[in-house]
């Protein structure tokens, strides 16, 4: 899908109008989506659009706008951009858009299976979800198993970033996403569990595996109780480990949060802050992984870097702006929520390196403890203090060899304690969830507020 506005023309005309610097990020997306509601596959939806992010500076005044591909002329776009820049306050730390920074990394971000974005393929995948759930329900003895709500999405995205400092890069990306909620009925009692998958490849086998696993968990978590309040050893399944890192740890490695004093890691580069069993990488080079890229949203080349090296805080994540404030090179982690927004440091693919053991082994080792499979509310955690907080929707209470399902209780703690002195082990059972690759975690103790 070709862009309707010409990025080079935008740069030329913007400079002619008196703007000091300009940047154009053009994002063209074609998407096929199929919804599932109560086991029924809904009609296919197709969408295609290009959004331009236009950012510019006049001296130290800098801002941006997002412009759609329909009904907007070059003159209108630049007029709105110039007006926005001139009315913006000065940024005393502004040092310009990045120059060309090419680190020679060419990540695999596109699968040839997306060359033809076929609605039939999306329907086929949705049918695979529904049929796999129903068949597995029969195997586990459910009276009825239904995919209550779900979505299958196939998309291809073309990204181009150019600026007046010599950056001109482009990349094609593919995206496959699927999620849903499975409900099984056993003798009049409902039990539910959800599944999700995100990748740059069409991962049919993994999709079936996660749907089947979700149905199996509807059996495992039937008739849950609420545990007593107290302090328990805690085992986190891989996807919960990813949620905890997302909410409580990774925002703290943002160079922006560090330089502005919001991160407890400020001044701690090179200092041991976690258990030596913890090594975390940010790796944009993983083939066809959800967060893989060859350059960030500013056009800066990416590379794999170690964020925590055996417990030592090694590398903050930065965009170009923050790297200048920290007097270091950009790590190629400048990403934005909208094409016209400023970038902020964010991870590509977060990889928690494997240790030993795993979910099953850790569960067997528990004399009395809780295993957490699924949560809600982890966004209530606080990366500024390291506070971890979530409500468990699916868990197991292990007590003297007896295992029973539990739910509806709150777990709280501190990420630097959980991954520090209270860490028993990092598992070797890494699982991919969106742009996180994480194994299970075994933590010596955590506070539980239950019945």
């Amino acid at each position: 899908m070709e862009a309707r506005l010409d990025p080079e023309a935008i740069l030329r005309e913007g400079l002619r109008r008196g703007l000091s610097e300009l940047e154009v990020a053009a994002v063209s997306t074609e998407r096929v989506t199929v919804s599932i509601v109560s086991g029924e596959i809904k009609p296919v939806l197709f969408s295609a659009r290009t959004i331009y992010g236009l950012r510019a500076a006049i001296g130290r005044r800098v801002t941006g706008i997002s412009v759609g591909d329909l009904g907007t002329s070059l003159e209108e776009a630049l007029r709105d951009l110039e007006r926005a820049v001139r009315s913006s306050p000065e940024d005393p730390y502004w040092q310009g858009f990045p120059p060309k920074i090419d680190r020679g990394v060419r990540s695999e971000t596109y699968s040839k299976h997306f060359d033809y974005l076929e609605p039939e393929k999306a329907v086929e995948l949705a049918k695979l979800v529904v049929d796999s759930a129903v068949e597995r329900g029969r195997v586990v003895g459910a009276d009825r198993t239904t995919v209550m709500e779900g979505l299958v999405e196939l998309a291809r995205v073309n990204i181009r970033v150019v600026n007046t400092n010599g950056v001109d890069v482009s990349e094609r990306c593919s995206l496959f996403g699927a999620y849903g909620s499975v409900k099984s009925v056993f003798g009049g009692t409902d039990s539910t569990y959800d599944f999700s998958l995100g990748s740059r490849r069409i991962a049919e086998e993994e999709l079936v595996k996660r749907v089947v696993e979700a149905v199996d968990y509807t059996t495992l978590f039937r008739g849950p109780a609420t545990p007593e309040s107290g302090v328990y050893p805690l085992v986190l399944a891989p996807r919960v480990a990813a949620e905890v890192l997302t909410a409580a740890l990774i925002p703290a490695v943002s160079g922006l949060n560090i330089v502005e004093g919001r991160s407890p890691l400020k001044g701690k580069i090179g200092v041991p802050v976690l258990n030596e069993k913890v090594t975390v990488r940010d790796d944009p080079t993983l083939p066809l992984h959800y967060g893989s890229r060859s350059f960030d949203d500013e056009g800066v080349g990416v590379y794999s870097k170690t964020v925590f090296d055996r417990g030592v805080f090694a590398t903050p994540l930065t965009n170009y702006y923050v790297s200048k404030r920290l007097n270091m090179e950009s790590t190629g982690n400048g990403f934005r929520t909208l094409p016209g927004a400023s970038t902020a440091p964010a991870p590509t693919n977060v990889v928690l390196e494997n240790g030993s053991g795993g979910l099953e082994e850790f569960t067997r080792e528990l004399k009395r403890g809780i295993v957490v499979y699924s949560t809600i509310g982890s966004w209530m955690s606080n990366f500024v203090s390291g506070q971890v907080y979530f409500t468990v929707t699916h868990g197991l209470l292990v007590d003297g060899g007896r295992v029973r399902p539990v739910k509806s209780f709150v777990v709280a703690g501190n990420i630097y304690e959980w991954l520090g002195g209270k860490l028993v082990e990092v598992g070797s059972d890494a699982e991919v969830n969106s742009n996180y690759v994480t194994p299970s975690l075994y933590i010596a103790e955590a506070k539980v507020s239950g019945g």
Side-chain angles (χ1 to χ4, degrees):
M1 184 169 55
E2 296 297 327
R4 292 177 180 245
L5 293 176
D6 178 12
E8 286 89 351
I10 294 174
L11 299 186
R12 288 194 304 269
E13 182 63 17
L15 291 176
R16 191 191 68 78
R17 294 176 70 106
L19 299 172
S20 306
E21 299 177 85
L22 291 97
E23 173 191 77
V24 180
V27 182
S28 300
T29 306
E30 297 171 280
R31 179 178 285 112
V32 174
T33 305
V34 178
S35 298
I36 304 168
V37 179
S38 298
E40 179 183 350
I41 298 172
K42 297 298 183 179
V44 176
L45 298 177
F46 177 81
S47 63
R49 70 176 307 191
T50 298
I51 299 179
Y52 302 89
L54 311 182
R55 291 184 56 75
I58 299 176
R60 293 185 181 272
R61 299 180 188 275
V62 58
T63 193
I65 62 173
S66 294
V67 179
D69 58 349
L70 297 176
T72 301
S73 69
L74 175 61
E75 177 67 25
E76 290 172 326
L78 285 173
R79 182 195 61 211
D80 292 344
L81 177 62
E82 182 181 357
R83 183 183 298 124
V85 174
R86 293 189 184 280
S87 63
S88 298
E90 289 194 350
D91 182 345
Y93 301 108
W94 177 251
Q95 295 192 44
F97 294 115
K100 182 178 180 180
I101 303 174
D102 187 347
R103 295 185 166 107
V105 173
R106 297 296 179 267
S107 301
E108 188 177 357
T109 62
Y110 183 79
S111 168
K112 64 180 181 180
H113 294 104
F114 288 76
D115 285 350
Y116 303 98
L117 205 60
E118 299 172 338
E120 294 80 7
K121 185 61 180 179
V123 173
E124 176 188 323
L125 292 166
K127 189 173 186 301
L128 183 64
V129 168
V130 172
D131 291 348
S132 297
V134 171
E135 176 58 29
R136 190 61 179 180
R138 294 192 188 102
V139 171
V140 301
D143 300 330
R144 183 175 66 257
T145 297
T146 308
V147 179
M148 297 306 298
E149 56 181 347
L151 185 79
V152 173
E153 180 178 80
L154 302 173
R156 55 189 180 210
V157 182
N158 290 310
I159 304 168
R160 185 181 178 195
V161 181
V162 300
N163 71 25
T164 49
N165 293 335
V167 169
D168 188 351
V169 293
S170 60
E171 186 161 53
R172 197 178 198 189
C173 301
S174 51
L175 288 173
F176 166 57
Y179 67 84
S181 176
V182 175
K183 181 175 77 172
S184 295
V185 179
F186 301 89
T189 301
D190 295 351
S191 181
T192 62
Y193 200 84
D194 65 345
F195 65 89
S196 64
L197 180 63
S199 180
R200 295 200 185 280
R201 59 163 62 90
I202 298 176
E204 293 187 33
E205 290 185 6
E206 183 63 24
L207 177 60
V208 171
K209 176 184 174 183
R210 297 207 178 187
V211 173
V212 167
E213 184 180 73
V215 177
D216 288 346
Y217 285 156
T218 64
T219 302
L220 180 63
F221 296 112
R222 284 187 290 172
T226 300
E228 296 178 353
S229 297
V231 176
Y232 293 79
L234 195 70
V235 175
L236 304 180
R239 84 172 191 178
V240 178
E243 292 170 1
V244 168
L245 294 184
T246 301
L249 182 65
I250 296 304
V253 307
S254 159
L256 183 61
N257 288 329
I258 290 171
V259 78
E260 295 191 348
R262 294 189 293 266
S263 171
L265 298 177
K266 184 175 183 178
K268 294 186 178 179
I269 297 176
V271 176
V273 294
L274 303 175
N275 191 297
E276 64 180 9
K277 295 179 180 180
V278 177
T279 293
V280 177
R281 292 184 295 110
D282 176 77
D283 191 349
T285 69
L286 299 177
L288 295 176
H289 274 240
Y290 197 77
S292 295
R293 289 281 295 272
S294 299
F295 56 85
D296 68 9
D297 285 350
E298 297 179 300
V300 174
V302 301
Y303 66 99
S304 178
K305 75 281 299 179
T306 301
V307 180
F308 294 96
D309 187 3
R310 290 173 293 180
V312 176
F313 180 37
T315 310
L317 304 182
T318 67
N319 59 358
Y320 185 74
Y321 173 83
V322 170
S323 71
K324 289 300 182 182
R325 293 183 65 177
L326 289 174
N327 194 29
M328 60 181 287
E329 289 188 356
S330 171
T331 61
N333 288 90
F335 296 100
R336 41 183 142 231
T337 55
L338 292 171
S342 59
T343 66
T348 58
N349 297 303
V350 176
V351 181
L352 175 58
E353 296 285 1
N354 277 331
S356 61
L359 190 65
E360 293 183 3
E361 292 89 341
F362 298 160
T363 301
R364 285 196 298 267
E365 290 177 18
L366 289 174
K367 292 182 175 60
R368 187 171 188 270
I370 290 175
V371 186
V372 182
Y373 284 78
S374 180
T375 72
I376 57 172
S378 59
W379 58 269
M380 296 180 68
S381 300
N382 186 342
F383 75 86
V384 177
S385 63
Q387 176 75 20
V388 181
Y389 183 98
F390 55 76
T391 298
V392 177
T393 58
H394 296 84
L396 297 176
L397 174 63
V398 181
D399 192 356
R402 183 187 176 196
V403 180
R404 57 194 173 111
V406 287
K407 72 168 186 177
S408 302
F409 59 97
V410 172
V411 175
N414 185 280
I415 192 66
Y416 299 100
E417 294 177 359
W418 283 13
L419 297 182
K422 293 182 179 180
L423 180 67
V424 178
E425 190 57 80
V426 177
S428 60
D429 53 346
E431 177 181 285
V432 180
N433 287 284
S434 185
N435 63 321
Y436 279 71
V437 184
T438 52
S440 301
L441 293 173
Y442 185 179
I443 299 159
E445 62 179 44
K447 295 178 181 178
V448 169
S449 299

